[in-house]
DNA sequence: TTGAAAGCGATACCAC
DNA sequence: GTGGTATCGCTTTCAA
């Protein structure tokens, strides 16, 4: 039970702590005799020595820990980003401190976590407005990288190419012959929402379809929002819908079912951000996969490089993944 | 940027570090003059002093941090449990270190996290078999509390009353006149699966319905599993289905839709563990809410009390919450 | 009521 | 190549 300390190992190996430290730390230029090195390593192994990160951190002023703060845990996008960050961090010798905060608590969290030497840097996802986020981040005393959004003035952020994704979705629909395609947008004014709307227009333009504002509704990111927005759009008689998320797509499908429309015979539905829940809907939802795990990975990589003193190299938006065709999309009705 | 240390505060206040420490720590019997106390507090506040948890932990051998290790982040049950643990921990002055591990990595995680003074105790959720989990936990060097399952020999665990929940679901169905009620069970041999099956039988018995093994299928915890199991059950012509989870319920609904059965006119579906995804299905799924957040809270409370030297008081299974009636259940067809 | 000083378990600089 | 030793920032006796 009693923890094995460096001193214990050194004593057992008959060397000084400093020597043991040198070896155990895996220092590059270990000016230590091979024989001694091996002996110390062997003994440490036998004694199951594990360095105390508190003591180490106190001395080095580093924790080899990255913090990641997300607004929701049960959001597939963030869950997946966390996984990616976790993998990248682990590969690079860092731990990940996951911090889940409700909107509004973000500032305090960032302040606490970053000002108490708990983490060397921060990965931040936020659904808050620019101004709020900016204020929150002002409290950060460590380098940070934004995920899934940009913030004017913040140099490091990793985003998904929502515009290309939306376009890809629309192209799938136009290829199926659809021309009256509705769009359920996310939160008005949001970065991704803006991008997706643009991609939606790109897709229409590529097929020579005129943009019609009446076919765009704001659904936000809830099922209820999708239901409402879809209901409002019904009188426009779209033959297909591009939803910003799986959740709003699900909400929209409820409206369509209620209206007695068959999916996909009467109307096709496509969502953005593929995730297991797409298969839980009926019919299973066609959707554009997004590299959310990659986003976490890249963000972690960027942060670690920044911590290493490298200069912030902004990365381009991550291109969408494959279009996963399921049962919710089909040829346009004649 | 330079961190404010206790020494800085003490110097500014014209007192010794030890005195500053005493008041800043909020010690109970502060043998410190009120005047001095106030002065120190004020100065600390002004200087925005925050204690360095590494230094403090190194000295006290405590981190005031609880670890929580979960197998999945984007599982509403765990996400909610985390939230509960987080709230309870915060209220009691503890931080929560969330650790997401794929099955198989659990042992290493537990070992690392608990043997390197990162946490004072552990909250553990696991989908692994008893034997595996037992091995994993053997590496734990700190007290721990299990969530959502039991493990023979492990004294502290907090579980949901799955049996009562299943029974509640069945009672809703029998009250609606259903008598041929199928059950989509979880993983065979699992603790919760066993409990639910028992609750299902309880519910049938209460309505004077004989248990029929042919009406029970194993769906596991995936949509695909639900789909398959439901398909196999169809020839038995049930008029209602009790699914172990929302996910398997969704899978079952896909089968029903494909078979041309109307929900709930031809067949009712009910799931366990209410969550937002229930509203994403069509029709929206009736389900039995479970106190998953409470589970996290109680687990944290138990752990903190154990850390305080109290004796493990086992807690009874948490009773199910309300039955949330949505569109997927209705009167039995005549 | 307050101060002095000894660690907690590492790292890193400086001798030898 | 190896050993001494002064920190890192805080808590906690023990004196005064």
């Amino acid at each position: 039970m009693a923890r094995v300390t460096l001193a214990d190992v050194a004593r057992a190996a008959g060397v000084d702590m400093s020597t043991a430290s040198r070896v155990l730390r895996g220092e590059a230029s270990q000016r230590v005799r091979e024989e001694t090195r091996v002996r110390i390593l062997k003994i440490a192994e036998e004694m199951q020595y594990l360095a105390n990160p508190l003591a180490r951190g106190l001395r080095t002023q580093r924790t080899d820990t990255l913090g990641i703060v997300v607004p929701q845990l049960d959001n597939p996008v963030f869950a997946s980003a966390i996984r990616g960050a976790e993998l990248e961090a682990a590969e690079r010798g860092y731990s990940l401190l996951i911090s889940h905060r409700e909107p509004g608590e973000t500032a305090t969290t960032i302040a606490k976590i970053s000002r108490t030497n708990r983490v060397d840097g921060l990965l931040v996802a936020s659904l808050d407005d620019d101004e709020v986020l900016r204020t929150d981040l002002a409290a950060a005393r460590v380098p940070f990288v934004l995920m899934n959004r940009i913030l004017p003035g913040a140099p490091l952020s990793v985003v998904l190419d929502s515009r290309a994704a939306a376009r890809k979705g629309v192209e799938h629909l136009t290829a199926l012959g659809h021309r009256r395609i509705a769009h359920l947008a996310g939160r008005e004014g949001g970065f991704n929402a803006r991008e997706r709307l643009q991609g939606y227009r790109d897709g229409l333009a590529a097929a020579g379809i005129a943009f019609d504002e009446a076919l765009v509704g704001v659904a936000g990111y809830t099922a209820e929002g999708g239901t409402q927005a879809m209901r409002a759009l019904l009188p426009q008689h779209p033959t297909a819908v591009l939803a910003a998320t799986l959740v709003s797509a699900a909400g929209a499908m409820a409206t369509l079912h209620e209206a007695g429309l068959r999916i996909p015979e009467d109307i096709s539905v496509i969502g953005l951000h593929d995730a297991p829940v797409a298969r839980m809907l009926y019919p299973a939802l066609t959707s554009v996969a997004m590299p959310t795990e990659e986003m976490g990975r890249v963000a972690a990589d960027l942060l670690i490089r920044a911590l290493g003193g490298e200069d912030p190299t902004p990365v381009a938006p991550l291109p969408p993944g494959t279009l996963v065709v399921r049962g919710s999309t089909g040829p346009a009705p004649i």
Side-chain angles (χ1 to χ4, degrees), chain A:
Chain A
M1 197 62 195
R3 260 109 188 155
V4 180
T5 72
L6 182 60
D8 297 332
V9 176
R11 198 177 312 119
V15 298
D16 187 87
M17 273 178 59
S18 55
T19 304
S21 174
R22 249 167 257 153
V23 172
L24 262 10
R25 200 155 8 106
E27 197 182 68
S29 70
Q30 308 187 172
R31 300 162 307 166
V32 176
R33 208 189 329 155
E34 183 61 13
E35 187 195 341
T36 325
R37 218 179 64 80
V38 173
R39 177 159 41 97
I40 294 176
L41 250 19
K42 181 161 160 292
I43 292 194
E45 169 82 40
E46 281 172 10
M47 301 178 76
Q48 301 205 53
Y49 169 74
L50 284 177
N52 182 331
L54 274 62
R56 189 205 294 264
L58 179 58
R59 182 63 237 240
T60 60
Q61 302 289 26
R62 303 175 51 239
T63 56
D64 293 327
T65 298
L66 265 31
I68 183 167
V69 1
V70 299
Q72 313 163 334
L73 246 25
D74 55 347
N75 179 323
V77 175
F78 297 131
S80 170
I82 289 175
R83 182 68 190 152
E86 212 161 47
L87 291 170
E88 184 67 28
E91 278 174 24
R92 310 279 285 272
Y94 280 82
S95 302
L96 195 69
L97 177 62
I98 306 172
S99 188
H100 160 225
R101 290 296 101 157
E102 305 281 308
E105 307 174 355
T106 320
T108 352
T109 305
I110 291 181
K112 272 225 190 86
I113 216 178
S114 75
R115 301 194 40 207
T116 56
N117 301 43
R118 275 191 196 283
V119 299
D120 296 340
L122 241 25
L123 301 173
V124 180
S126 164
L127 264 17
D128 289 322
D129 292 336
D130 279 9
E131 317 239 327
V132 177
L133 179 58
R134 196 188 307 280
T135 312
D136 292 353
L137 286 169
R141 292 307 197 259
V142 295
F144 58 85
V145 174
L146 258 28
M147 295 187 305
N148 202 34
R149 73 176 291 162
I150 56 166
L151 181 70
L156 261 32
S157 59
V158 182
V159 299
L160 303 170
D161 193 340
S162 301
R163 179 171 177 172
R167 176 181 178 142
K168 195 164 187 167
V170 171
E171 284 173 349
H172 170 58
L173 296 171
T174 57
L176 287 167
H178 292 275
R179 301 198 52 91
R180 287 197 66 72
I181 303 173
H183 176 40
L184 298 182
R187 186 180 44 142
E188 235 162 341
F191 166 70
N192 285 307
R194 220 161 36 231
E195 290 288 300
R196 277 187 295 254
L197 181 58
Q198 194 52 57
Y200 164 72
R201 299 186 66 153
D202 292 348
L204 292 181
I209 303 172
F211 171 70
D212 179 358
E213 203 167 346
L215 281 169
V216 176
V218 175
Y221 302 109
T222 63
E224 185 53 27
T227 298
Q228 307 259 359
M230 190 67 241
R231 199 168 299 157
L233 252 25
L234 238 29
Q236 302 295 327
H237 298 296
T239 68
V241 193
L242 171 75
T245 66
L246 301 187
V247 180
S248 56
M253 284 169 76
T255 292
L256 300 177
H257 283 129
E258 270 161 24
L261 294 169
R262 291 163 306 158
I263 305 171
E265 292 80 1
D266 300 322
I267 184 165
S268 288
V269 181
I270 186 168
L272 262 27
H273 290 107
D274 192 44
V277 73
R279 258 175 314 198
M280 291 176 63
L281 306 183
Y282 190 82
L285 189 71
T286 293
S287 65
V288 181
M290 296 299 277
T292 46
E293 183 172 317
E294 182 67 9
M295 178 170 67
R297 256 194 188 283
V298 173
D301 170 66
L302 224 53
L303 182 54
I304 293 173
R305 297 218 315 252
L307 291 174
E310 275 187 52
D311 225 3
T313 333
V315 299
L318 272 27
T322 57
L323 173 81
V324 185
V325 180
R326 299 203 180 86
S328 70
T329 49
I334 315 141

